Amino acid sequence: MQKLELAKTVDTPQVSFDPTNGQFHVEGESYPENALDFYGPVFESLNQYIEMTNGPITAHFKLSYFNSSSSKCLLDIFDILEAFHSVGGKVTVNWYYQVEDEDIKESGEDFADDLSLNFSLVSFE
Amino acid sequence: MKFNDNIFNSELATQRRAEAVIANPPDTFDTLLKEYIALTGQYAKLLKQAIKLTSVGDGAQRKLMRIRNDLQERNIRIQAQKAKLEQLNQKLENASVTDPLTGLHNRRYFLSFIEGEFKTILTTPAPEIDFGPSLLFLLIDIDHFKVINDTWGHASGDKVLVQFCDLIRNASRKIDTLVRWGGEEFLMVCREADRGYGATLAERLRQGVADHRFDIGTDEPITCTCSIGFAYFPFIASFPTHMGWSQVLDLADQALYAAKNSGRNAWVGVNTVEPDHTRQNPPPSFHGLRELVASDWVALSSSLGDLNDVRL
């Protein structure tokens, strides 16, 4: 299985997923013209991984802005992680927010709500 | 998993399945219940997502509003700073074109101002007055100013200069431009000056200065006199580009020199004579006032009653 690497653009975040250690990163701003075009390969990569192994996934989200379509795609990513967790996969989520950015912090809390994942809110300067 | 162009593909699939069940209901209640339970599960998941999406979307909007407000506040601050800077710039600009002792304009101001005036006059069509739009260049020099400085000191000389400027100011109109041209030499540039204005103004100034008692802190106030020379631009109204403003100013300077030369406390003006408007050709180029006066284009005027007393 190949490593996923999407470089940051003006309207999409940098995304990477390394199947050798399960490290998953999303960082930047997200308001792509077509959310499914952008996040489709991400879903595919994660799904492929959880079908193949039961190794751990550590997901890092460091987003400063995302639109509604991207939010929907993030929810779907959390669904995939939740499904993996429910069959015994080890999942850790770190949601990063800049100190004083209450809105990004609260959106992390919104996403975490009702999930049974190990979900941490991490502030940075 | 196949991706089309819709992030709600799986939800749409659920809806299509439910519609298929309705169109073609299963035979047994158990099968129907299973479908119903699956549909309810999907519904619950979708509702949960809708709730999260709404909340997250509101958060994103709040963030954008906050950024917008921050920008607006910053913009207001920047505008205020900009206004302050512009004010400061204006002050600096004023200071750079003002003589600090007298508050009159300096040469730098004159040079930036005169080109614009020059163009205005050359492009303004002549109104119904005799010689069209014109500028009067009038140079005033305090007589024997060095003696005042040498006798009473520079501080007293400065007092004379300041009071002298007040006299000039009081004699001027709002549309006139007053310039400290050199140490004790001043230039008045008068707009909308008809051809009699120079003599009137020069005499008023000469008389006003001669009558003034200058208070320099001594027991008795002192007196002093001034000499004045003037000329008009355009020099020849029917050939306005014949002489530039600097040549006309030079004529005014030569006239001032003539006034000095003729005994001081006097004024000399250079006027063009245009006996008729039928001259087809401009005059030849003149070098100096003496040559000009010898031609039939010029008539001097002076506070010295007899023009023969004017020593060029």
Side-chain angles (χ1 to χ4, degrees), chain B residues 13 28 41 118 138 163 181-182 190 214 226 252-253 271 275 290 300:
Chain B
T28 68
F118 182 59
L138 188 138
Q163 288 167 54
W181 193 244
C190 307
F214 290 85
C226 66
D253 195 46
N271 304 286
R290 200 185 298 263
L300 294 181

Side-chain angles (χ1 to χ4, degrees), chain B residues 91-158:
Chain B
K91 263 190 191 166
L92 278 175
E93 208 176 299
N94 290 345
S96 75
V97 295
T98 305
D99 170 52
L101 177 67
T102 60
L104 299 189
H105 293 301
N106 60 17
R107 263 178 195 253
R108 186 204 300 259
Y109 177 85
F110 170 78
L111 291 173
S112 65
F113 143 94
I114 193 62
E115 288 297 340
E117 285 299 300
F118 182 59
K119 283 195 189 108
T120 306
I121 288 197
L122 292 184
T123 52
T124 306
E128 299 303 311
I129 61 169
D130 288 353
F131 290 98
S134 66
L135 287 180
L136 168 67
F137 289 94
L138 188 138
L139 282 167
I140 318 157
D141 192 273
I142 305 177
D143 294 332
H144 300 302
F145 185 70
K146 191 173 176 301
V147 175
I148 297 171
N149 267 341
D150 291 349
T151 311
W152 308 100
H154 284 278
S156 297
D158 283 354

Side-chain angles (χ1 to χ4, degrees), chain B residues 256-264 266 268 302 304 309-312:
Chain B
L256 168 63
Y257 184 79
K260 290 263 180 203
N261 217 15
S262 311
R264 296 188 171 82
V268 173
S302 174
L304 305 160
D309 293 342
V310 176
R311 298 175 63 185
L312 296 172

Side-chain angles (χ1 to χ4, degrees), chain B:
Chain B
M1 210 165 162
K2 188 98 180 127
F3 297 104
N4 294 320
D5 57 351
N6 196 315
I7 52 175
F8 292 99
N9 277 335
S10 79
E11 289 80 359
L12 284 167
T14 303
Q15 186 190 336
R16 276 196 297 274
R17 185 179 174 96
E19 284 163 355
V21 169
I22 291 166
N24 196 4
D27 297 335
T28 68
F29 176 76
D30 275 357
T31 318
L32 188 61
L33 185 62
K34 236 195 242 165
E35 290 289 348
Y36 191 78
I37 289 169
L39 188 59
T40 307
Q42 289 291 327
Y43 179 85
K45 183 187 154 198
L46 190 61
L47 179 62
K48 186 79 205 171
Q49 282 203 345
I51 291 168
K52 287 190 181 185
L53 275 177
T54 308
S55 182
V56 166
D58 286 352
Q61 253 173 354
R62 265 199 310 277
K63 179 167 181 173
L64 288 181
M65 297 296 273
R66 201 186 54 206
I67 291 170
R68 189 195 66 176
N69 292 344
D70 284 354
L71 283 176
Q72 277 174 345
E73 273 171 33
R74 196 176 307 179
N75 197 24
I76 290 168
R77 273 203 308 277
I78 289 172
Q79 289 300 331
Q81 280 172 341
K82 192 174 158 229
K84 225 174 172 179
L85 274 176
E86 276 168 359
Q87 238 174 11
L88 215 72
N89 267 341
Q90 189 59 51
K91 263 190 191 166
L92 278 175
E93 208 176 299
N94 290 345
S96 75
V97 295
T98 305
D99 170 52
L101 177 67
T102 60
L104 299 189
H105 293 301
N106 60 17
R107 263 178 195 253
R108 186 204 300 259
Y109 177 85
F110 170 78
L111 291 173
S112 65
F113 143 94
I114 193 62
E115 288 297 340
E117 285 299 300
F118 182 59
K119 283 195 189 108
T120 306
I121 288 197
L122 292 184
T123 52
T124 306
E128 299 303 311
I129 61 169
D130 288 353
F131 290 98
S134 66
L135 287 180
L136 168 67
F137 289 94
L138 188 138
L139 282 167
I140 318 157
D141 192 273
I142 305 177
D143 294 332
H144 300 302
F145 185 70
K146 191 173 176 301
V147 175
I148 297 171
N149 267 341
D150 291 349
T151 311
W152 308 100
H154 284 278
S156 297
D158 283 354
K159 281 181 185 153
V160 170
L161 285 173
V162 169
Q163 288 167 54
F164 191 84
C165 286
D166 289 340
L167 293 176
I168 296 178
R169 240 187 233 111
N170 292 338
S172 67
R173 306 164 302 169
K174 265 193 180 145
I175 51 172
D176 299 337
T177 301
L178 310 182
V179 181
R180 185 172 180 192
W181 193 244
E184 69 274 17
E185 192 176 0
F186 300 88
L187 168 65
M188 287 180 80
V189 183
C190 307
R191 292 181 180 133
E192 295 169 27
D194 65 46
R195 299 272 159 156
Y197 186 62
T200 312
L201 177 61
E203 181 53 26
R204 192 188 306 152
L205 286 167
R206 189 199 64 77
Q207 191 71 53
V209 171
D211 290 347
H212 188 75
R213 299 291 169 267
F214 290 85
D215 179 7
I216 56 168
T218 50
D219 290 343
E220 288 292 316
I222 64 166
T223 59
C224 66
T225 58
C226 66
S227 300
I228 296 167
F230 63 85
Y232 295 91
F233 175 85
F235 188 62
I236 298 166
S238 44
F239 301 100
T241 54
H242 182 252
M243 275 193 199
W245 62 263
S246 58
Q247 286 166 291
V248 172
L249 186 56
D250 190 47
L251 283 181
D253 195 46
Q254 291 184 50
L256 168 63
Y257 184 79
K260 290 263 180 203
N261 217 15
S262 311
R264 296 188 171 82
N265 189 21
W267 54 263
V268 173
V270 188
N271 304 286
T272 39
V273 180
E274 298 188 60
D276 54 54
H277 293 269
T278 57
R279 295 205 204 208
Q280 295 297 310
N281 297 309
S285 295
F286 295 111
H287 303 288
L289 190 53
R290 200 185 298 263
E291 196 184 333
L292 255 176
V293 169
S295 79
D296 61 348
W297 283 87
V298 155
L300 294 181
S301 58
S302 174
S303 55
L304 305 160
D306 188 347
L307 286 174
N308 291 323
D309 293 342
V310 176
R311 298 175 63 185
L312 296 172

Side-chain angles (χ1 to χ4, degrees), chain A residues 34-36 40 43-44 47 64-66 68-69 71-73 75-76 79 100-101 103-104 106-107 110-111 113-114, chain B residues 1 3-11 45-46 48-50 52-53 55-64 66:
Chain A
N34 187 324
L36 197 63
F43 298 148
E44 202 159 12
N47 278 322
S64 54
Y65 179 75
F66 41 92
S68 299
S69 297
S71 303
K72 165 67 170 140
C73 293
L75 284 169
D76 289 342
D79 267 356
E100 288 177 12
D101 192 344
D103 299 311
I104 290 293
E106 278 172 28
S107 62
D110 284 333
F111 283 125
D113 185 38
D114 221 30
Chain B
M1 210 165 162
F3 297 104
N4 294 320
D5 57 351
N6 196 315
I7 52 175
F8 292 99
N9 277 335
S10 79
E11 289 80 359
K45 183 187 154 198
L46 190 61
K48 186 79 205 171
Q49 282 203 345
K52 287 190 181 185
L53 275 177
S55 182
V56 166
D58 286 352
Q61 253 173 354
R62 265 199 310 277
K63 179 167 181 173
L64 288 181
R66 201 186 54 206

